[in-house]
Amino acid sequence: MKTFEELGIAPQIIKAINEMGFEQPMPVQEEVIPLLLAETRDIIALAQTGTGKTAAFGIPIIQKTSISLHAPQTLILCPTRELCLQIADDLSEYSKFVDDIKILPVYGGSSIESQIRALKRGVHIIVATPGRLIDLLNRKTVSLENVHTVVLDEADEMLNMGFTESIDEILGQVPNDRSMLLFSATMPQEIARITRKYMNSPVEITIGRKNEGALNVKHIYYVVQAKDKYLALKRIADYYPNIYAIIFCRTRKETQEIADKLIQDGYDADSLHGDLSQVQRDFVMNKYRNRNLQLLVATDVAARGLDVDDITHVINYGLPDDTEVYTHRSGRTGRAGKTGTSISIIHVKEKGKIGQIEKMINKKFEKRQIPSGDAICEKQLFNFVDKVEKVKVNEEEIARLLPAIFRKLEWLEKEDIVKRVVSLEFNRLIEYYQKAKEIEEPSDFSSKRDRKEKYEKRSDRDKSSRRAERGYTRIFINLGKTDGTNPGNLMGFINDHVPGKVHIGRIDLMQNFSFFEVPEENARQVVKAFKGLYVDDRRLVVEIAQDTAASGGGKNEGSWQKRSKGNGKSYRKGQKK
Ligand code: AMP
């Protein structure tokens, strides 16, 4: 590997980039810098963002600028305002020790007058979005007659955004003998046309994808019915308590709707799309960059200018039509050596697309089930407990308040305080998921195993709605197979706690709860005997089930779900309330 000196870079630029922490050239720089410094005319570089391409063209451009000529000599075209500002900023950094060099970003959405004034004062390098540059050209406030180098950055994106005609028009006003450098992540037909029309025997360079990202990204998908899509999104967001994600939607309208719903449901979310003003977009992007937003709901186009390194999840709220777009989306996570996850919430008909994308990215997707309410609550709870363990206590600040707090809480045991803190934080979540219906996969999509589970659930429901035998009362208990309950230990448990011998009739064991029948005259006595009992810290719920039987045990199922699944197989008598 060569050093920057060996590539022929001037000392004042090396000083600046060293200050920026660049120690060695990146591959694209090693290839492109010597070519540009050696006056190679045209170069096509297949390279993505993150490969170091800005310095690859920026450094030689600065070095080749003639400061005494007060006219634009280099024109850099790029698709978005954000990229435009970023490139101009980077170039200013590299040229920190180059006296009097003038670099001007020119983009829509900000005052054209101040850009015109700056142009009049004289600039050497223009970084522009095509639309605004055309505007300036039409007003005859900028001349491109001294331009010797043109860079098209993210050329494929510019074409995607409909800038083909503008690019043609701009290139028509640049002298024919200029050199041209084209950077693109992909090479669609239209780019090939541009290169044929405007380039002369270009040197082609392919810089491997920024694979650091691709390799670190896990691809997951969930299949849901259209009506469950938003609920599934919420569950996914809840399942990852520290999520910092971009949610991609297909249209501006959908983007706004989803963001609105999320905000209404109490999430740190906001929207980013083309119907917002530039000021609004800047505001949202800054909020997101500063992590004052957890969920950014965006269209592909609007999110293009956003470069954030530590996004944990990319969520595809439906798959994009173009599989290339999927690569762009998922490449936003798993950057800078971190791992990331690209999640797709799809409906059955999109299944075929998963296969296409798998082929393109050469990676398998993992199919997952939407997290259950229990799993979500557990994940959130442990995350919270983890935070409690790790929180930094500011002893000095709170010392003054502690004695009074201790006095107020001294009547409570440690366990009670823990329970109360957790309840304060989680009652709403638990309550929500207690009431929420689990999201089921569309039936033609479920695996054999899923079908078996569904059958078991259905037969559980049938059992729940069963009526008691004549002369017997049906009783609900919130212990089920998950707790290791079987007819033998359940009978033993009942007899251990109910004074006198009670005959136990039919027993129906379900996953998380059960029913047993006792003679009508013993029913109240049995229910009473279990009042205030605990099993492994879980309060027992034992109720007469007759009323709820007709509704499929719904009420009792609900009251069970708000309690965490105890894994204790041993029954023990807890403290009375
Ligand atoms: P780019 O592909 O131009 O967006 O660059 C990606 C990131 O790499 C930017 O944050 C650059 O500042 C950084 N970078 C570019 N060249 C080097 C280098 N030679 N050494 C270290 N970092 C670099």
Side-chain angles (χ1 to χ4, degrees):
M1 182 172 285
K2 290 192 171 163
T3 61
F4 286 121
E5 284 82 359
E6 284 166 336
L7 297 183
I9 300 173
Q12 71 268 43
I13 299 180
I14 294 185
K15 187 173 169 208
I17 59 177
N18 282 346
E19 276 189 13
M20 292 171 76
F22 297 9
E23 286 168 5
Q24 277 181 323
M26 289 169 85
V28 68
Q29 294 157 3
E30 210 173 332
E31 297 227 33
V32 171
I33 292 174
L35 286 175
L36 275 183
L37 289 177
E39 312 280 322
T40 306
R41 240 186 83 108
D42 295 331
I43 302 172
I44 300 173
L46 262 175
Q48 294 191 332
T49 302
T51 48
K53 63 191 167 75
T54 316
F57 64 76
I59 290 171
I61 281 169
I62 290 165
Q63 194 156 324
K64 284 163 72 181
T65 300
S66 161
I67 306 292
S68 54
L69 175 62
H70 294 277
Q73 298 159 41
T74 296
L75 171 63
I76 301 165
L77 290 177
C78 61
T80 62
R81 171 186 189 270
E82 287 72 24
L83 186 59
C84 176
L85 285 168
Q86 198 181 313
I87 296 172
D89 263 6
D90 286 354
L91 264 57
S92 302
E93 290 276 340
Y94 313 146
S95 59
K96 190 172 160 190
F97 301 111
V98 177
D99 292 338
D100 298 327
I101 192 163
K102 299 261 180 344
I103 300 158
L104 181 69
V106 158
Y107 49 87
S110 71
S111 153
I112 196 163
E113 276 72 30
S114 66
Q115 289 170 5
I116 293 172
R117 278 197 298 277
L119 282 166
K120 280 195 182 139
R121 285 196 296 271
V123 299
H124 300 107
I125 299 172
I126 296 180
V127 189
T129 52
R132 175 53 63 96
L133 184 61
I134 296 268
D135 208 346
L136 291 165
L137 287 168
N138 288 342
R139 292 174 187 229
K140 309 233 177 301
T141 47
V142 61
S143 158
L144 303 179
E145 63 188 13
N146 287 298
V147 167
H148 55 65
T149 307
V150 177
V151 178
L152 302 185
D153 195 16
E154 301 205 355
D156 50 352
E157 294 293 352
M158 281 198 280
L159 301 188
N160 281 342
M161 290 172 75
F163 285 135
T164 314
E165 276 179 22
S166 305
I167 292 172
D168 272 339
E169 197 177 329
I170 293 165
L171 293 179
Q173 298 202 28
V174 177
N176 280 336
D177 60 346
R178 83 264 177 253
S179 33
M180 192 160 137
L181 186 58
L182 182 145
F183 281 93
S184 190
T186 57
M187 207 31 82
Q189 285 288 315
E190 193 50 25
I191 300 268
R193 184 193 69 81
I194 290 192
T195 59
R196 272 197 307 277
K197 187 165 171 195
Y198 294 104
M199 291 176 132
N200 212 341
S201 327
V203 175
E204 290 187 29
I205 297 168
T206 304
I207 300 298
R209 283 174 182 280
K210 195 200 171 193
N211 262 339
E212 176 202 321
L215 287 176
N216 291 341
V217 178
K218 190 156 57 172
H219 302 265
I220 294 175
Y221 73 102
Y222 298 93
V223 187
V224 294
Q225 294 175 26
K227 68 172 175 52
D228 291 331
K229 220 165 146 189
Y230 175 69
L231 292 175
L233 172 67
K234 280 206 323 176
R235 280 186 182 236
I236 291 164
D238 287 343
Y239 190 65
Y240 298 104
N242 300 315
I243 193 168
Y244 177 48
I246 299 194
I247 301 162
F248 283 104
C249 293
R250 290 155 71 97
T251 61
R252 296 169 182 191
K253 189 165 166 276
E254 187 180 53
T255 304
Q256 191 60 54
E257 280 170 7
I258 298 301
D260 285 347
K261 279 195 201 174
L262 287 169
I263 295 166
Q264 211 169 26
D265 287 339
Y267 293 83
D268 279 337
D270 215 333
S271 61
L272 186 69
H273 56 73
D275 284 345
L276 303 176
S277 70
Q278 188 62 54
V279 176
Q280 286 170 315
R281 279 193 306 226
D282 283 348
F283 178 70
V284 174
M285 284 201 226
N286 276 336
K287 251 199 320 182
Y288 187 62
R289 275 193 204 103
N290 299 334
R291 282 187 165 257
N292 289 327
L293 263 191
Q294 248 189 316
L295 304 173
L296 179 69
V297 193
T299 56
D300 291 290
V301 174
R304 224 158 254 158
L306 190 71
D307 208 17
V308 179
D309 266 349
D310 40 9
I311 291 172
T312 59
H313 293 76
V314 162
I315 301 180
N316 298 279
Y317 196 71
L319 287 170
D321 288 329
D322 182 355
T323 43
E324 281 281 352
V325 173
Y326 180 87
T327 325
H328 281 293
R329 288 182 178 182
S330 58
R332 292 183 164 273
T333 182
R335 289 179 168 199
K338 302 196 175 96
T339 53
T341 308
S342 174
I343 293 176
S344 302
I345 307 172
I346 66 166
H347 55 76
V348 184
K349 285 191 196 133
E350 287 179 301
K351 168 70 177 141
K353 272 195 205 160
I354 294 281
Q356 284 170 22
I357 297 172
E358 280 180 337
K359 266 194 214 125
M360 200 183 79
I361 61 173
N362 200 19
K363 251 187 154 181
K364 282 271 167 224
F365 274 69
E366 192 187 315
K367 180 174 167 282
R368 293 237 183 119
Q369 305 289 329
I370 294 291
S372 67
D374 277 353
I376 291 167
C377 292
E378 196 173 309
K379 203 76 186 282
Q380 292 268 2
L381 243 120
F382 279 101
N383 179 61
F384 173 73
V385 173
D386 210 39
K387 279 192 190 152
V388 171
E389 277 187 312
K390 288 181 188 148
V391 69
K392 217 170 148 251
V393 176
N394 189 336
E395 300 279 358
E396 267 177 41
E397 281 293 312
I398 59 170
R400 188 173 54 83
L401 305 166
L402 283 179
I405 296 172
F406 288 149
R407 255 197 318 278
K408 178 127 181 60
L409 298 180
E410 77 192 342
W411 65 283
L412 288 167
E413 300 282 330
K414 176 180 142 199
E415 281 77 12
D416 286 324
I417 295 176
V418 171
K419 280 185 212 161
R420 275 157 213 258
V421 171
V422 169
S423 302
L424 259 183
E425 192 77 7
F426 286 100
N427 276 357
R428 265 186 58 200
L429 183 87
I430 293 172
E431 213 170 287
Y432 171 80
Y433 278 111
Q434 171 204 336
K435 288 184 193 141
K437 224 174 115 231
E438 296 297 340
I439 299 177
E440 291 189 7
E441 210 171 78
S443 54
D444 49 341
F445 211 87
S446 11
S447 65
K448 223 168 155 185
R449 203 183 97 229
D450 298 337
R451 281 198 291 273
K452 185 172 163 263
E453 274 172 13
K454 223 183 263 173
Y455 168 77
E456 279 175 3
K457 265 193 205 149
R458 199 173 314 132
S459 67
D460 274 3
R461 269 204 298 275
D462 294 345
K463 285 191 223 161
S464 308
S465 56
R466 207 171 257 156
R467 294 209 165 266
E469 298 283 313
R470 189 185 287 266
Y472 279 78
T473 297
R474 208 163 154 73
I475 292 178
F476 165 90
I477 183 165
N478 63 340
L479 293 173
K481 291 179 200 163
T482 329
D483 308 290
T485 309
N486 59 42
N489 62 19
L490 184 61
M491 277 162 76
F493 184 58
I494 297 163
N495 278 316
D496 281 352
H497 291 93
V498 182
K501 187 116 183 87
V502 181
H503 175 74
I504 297 163
R506 162 178 218 115
I507 292 176
D508 283 324
L509 294 178
M510 266 138 288
Q511 220 44 46
N512 298 322
F513 55 92
S514 306
F515 293 95
F516 60 90
E517 295 178 11
V518 295
E520 278 170 359
E521 61 274 21
N522 296 124
R524 294 200 171 282
Q525 179 199 2
V526 171
V527 170
K528 201 169 153 221
F530 286 101
K531 264 229 148 59
L533 270 187
Y534 281 71
V535 169
D536 288 349
D537 292 335
R538 195 170 85 219
R539 193 172 73 83
L540 264 189
V541 177
V542 177
E543 296 171 348
I544 293 181
Q546 223 80 325
D547 296 341
T548 55
S551 61
K555 182 181 154 228
N556 288 330
E557 217 169 327
S559 68
W560 155 254
Q561 282 181 352
K562 75 178 164 209
R563 290 166 182 87
S564 62
K565 272 183 204 156
N567 55 1
K569 309 274 182 268
S570 62
Y571 296 142
R572 71 169 173 79
K573 188 169 172 170
Q575 66 273 42
K576 289 255 185 201
K577 257 192 175 173

